[in-house]
Amino acid sequence: MTTELQDLQAFVTICRAGGFREGARQSRQSASSLSEAIRRLEDRLGLRLLHRTTRSVTPTEAGGRLLERLAPALGEVEAALDGLGSFRDRPAGTLRLNVPASAARLILPQIITPFLKTYPDIKLEIIVEESFVDVLAAGCDAGIRYDERLEQDMIAVPIGPRAQRVATAASPAYLAERGRPERPSDLLGHACLRGRFPSGHTPLWEFEKDGEIVTIDPKGPLLVQISGGVDLAVDAAVRGLGVIHFFEDWLQPYFDNKTLAPVLEPWWQSFSGPYLYYPGRRRLPPPLRAFVDFIRTGPCGSR
C-alpha cells in the first residue's frame, strides 16, 4: 500500500509540474525514480496515464480522469497529516496559496512577513497565475481572487483593501507629443498598451463617471500577458510608448516619482477588493486556519 501511494503521489507531482525533470526538482527525487513509479502504476492499471514527448508531459484521457479524483484525495491526506500540528504548541505545516499577480504584488507583501514571524513553524508556498483554478486539484489549500471569479460553493474571506481602482496613465513625454485625452473615447486615437489573460481573453478598458459607463477596445503597439508581462508594459509606458490602464496601486510609485502622469482620473472605475477563498471544510488544516484568523484579526488584513 505504501508503494502504491508513493506511485500515485509521483503521478500527481509530474502532472502538476508538467514534466519529469521539474517534478523531480520540486519533489527532490530523481527523474528516473519518478519514471519508474509511473511505469509501475501504468503496469498495475493496464492503462497509459501520460503522453510523453520531448517537449511536454500531459495526462491521457484516463490520466486526466484519475488526476481529477486523486489530487483532492491526496490533498485530504496531506490535510490530515497537517492536522497533527494541532497537537503542537503552534500551528505547523505547509500552506499553499494560488494567487494572481496583482495579489502577489499589492496584497501579500504586507501580510506574509508578519504572518510567518507570528507562525515560524508554517512554510508558505505561493503559486502565481491568473486563471481561476480548483484549488484542491491544483494542490493548493486556498486562493485569492476577485468576487466575479469566485465559485458559489467556496468560503470567501476579505483580504486587503476593500476598494481598488483601475488607473490610466502615460509618461509626460508621451502626453507632450500626443496630447492629453479628455474623454475615454479619445483613447481610440492613442497608442494603448494592452494586457491579455493566459486564457486568451483581452479585457476591454472600462471607465465610469457620474453613473455613465464607457467601454472601449483601444489599439496599440504592445500586448502582454497579464501577470508576468505587466512590468514590461509599465516600463514601456514610462519610456513613452503609450497609455497604460492598470491597478492604481501598481502604478502609484510611478505617479509619486513623476515618471507617469494620471490620465482621465475622474473616469477611473472603482471595484471591490479581493477575497481569500477555500473549499468549505468542517476542519481546516492548521496552517490555513492560522492564516484565515490572521487576516480576519490582524492589522494587515482587510481594510
Side-chain angles (χ1 to χ4, degrees):
M1 179 64 72
T2 299
T3 301
E4 291 180 1
L5 285 175
Q6 291 173 343
D7 292 350
L8 290 170
Q9 182 63 64
F11 169 70
V12 173
T13 297
I14 293 165
C15 291
R16 289 174 179 167
F20 288 88
R21 181 177 298 178
E22 180 62 18
R25 186 189 68 79
Q26 293 182 10
S27 62
R28 297 181 181 179
Q29 301 179 61
S30 67
S32 60
S33 66
L34 291 179
S35 179
E36 179 63 21
I38 297 302
R39 184 194 64 76
R40 285 195 302 267
L41 189 58
E42 290 181 331
D43 287 348
R44 190 178 303 121
L45 296 174
L47 294 168
R48 177 175 288 276
L49 299 176
L50 295 174
H51 292 299
R52 304 169 178 84
T53 70
T54 57
R55 294 186 177 182
S56 66
V57 176
T58 57
T60 63
E61 182 178 359
R65 182 166 300 182
L66 176 62
L67 182 64
E68 288 177 3
R69 300 291 299 275
L70 186 60
L74 289 177
E76 291 295 332
V77 172
E78 292 177 359
L81 295 175
D82 284 343
L84 296 178
S86 61
F87 290 98
R88 300 172 49 127
D89 292 335
R90 294 178 296 189
T94 299
L95 173 62
R96 299 179 181 88
L97 299 179
N98 188 289
V99 308
S102 57
R105 180 69 167 267
L106 306 176
I107 307 299
L108 290 181
Q110 55 266 45
I111 294 177
I112 59 174
T113 297
F115 172 71
L116 292 175
K117 285 185 175 180
T118 303
Y119 298 101
D121 294 330
I122 292 178
K123 177 185 176 182
L124 185 61
E125 294 184 11
I126 306 294
I127 296 90
V128 179
E129 61 180 341
E130 297 301 320
S131 57
F132 185 85
V133 298
D134 180 333
V135 289
L136 288 181
C140 296
D141 300 291
I144 296 178
R145 291 296 186 274
Y146 288 85
D147 54 3
E148 72 273 11
R149 307 188 76 187
L150 292 176
E151 293 184 356
Q152 293 183 353
D153 61 349
M154 293 287 175
I155 296 175
V157 179
I159 184 171
R162 300 324 307 142
Q164 295 179 275
R165 292 197 300 177
V166 177
T168 311
S171 72
Y174 175 89
L175 295 174
E177 178 184 352
R178 299 288 299 271
R180 178 179 289 273
E182 300 297 331
R183 290 184 56 84
S185 57
D186 294 342
L187 291 173
L188 296 175
H190 283 262
C192 294
L193 313 178
R194 303 289 299 275
R196 180 168 60 194
F197 286 108
S199 65
H201 171 63
T202 302
L204 302 177
W205 288 10
E206 194 165 283
F207 301 85
E208 185 173 1
K209 179 183 176 184
D210 300 330
E212 179 186 1
I213 297 178
V214 177
T215 302
I216 64 170
D217 185 10
K219 308 301 179 186
L222 181 64
L223 177 67
V224 301
Q225 180 168 297
I226 294 174
S227 187
V230 170
D231 282 329
L232 178 62
V234 173
D235 182 74
V238 168
R239 295 173 184 270
L241 184 62
V243 181
I244 194 165
H245 185 72
F246 205 58
F247 286 88
E248 178 184 7
D249 291 341
W250 198 306
L251 301 181
Q252 189 60 51
Y254 303 93
F255 295 150
D256 294 341
N257 64 23
K258 310 298 184 183
T259 53
L260 286 178
V263 173
L264 298 171
E265 189 167 2
W267 287 89
W268 291 0
Q269 191 175 53
S270 296
F271 56 95
S272 60
Y275 292 84
L276 176 78
Y277 73 97
Y278 53 92
R281 289 176 175 170
R282 191 161 51 183
R283 182 175 179 84
L284 294 181
L288 178 56
R289 167 52 62 197
F291 190 73
V292 170
D293 291 342
F294 186 82
I295 66 170
R296 277 177 167 163
T297 61
C300 298
S302 61
R303 58 191 186 275

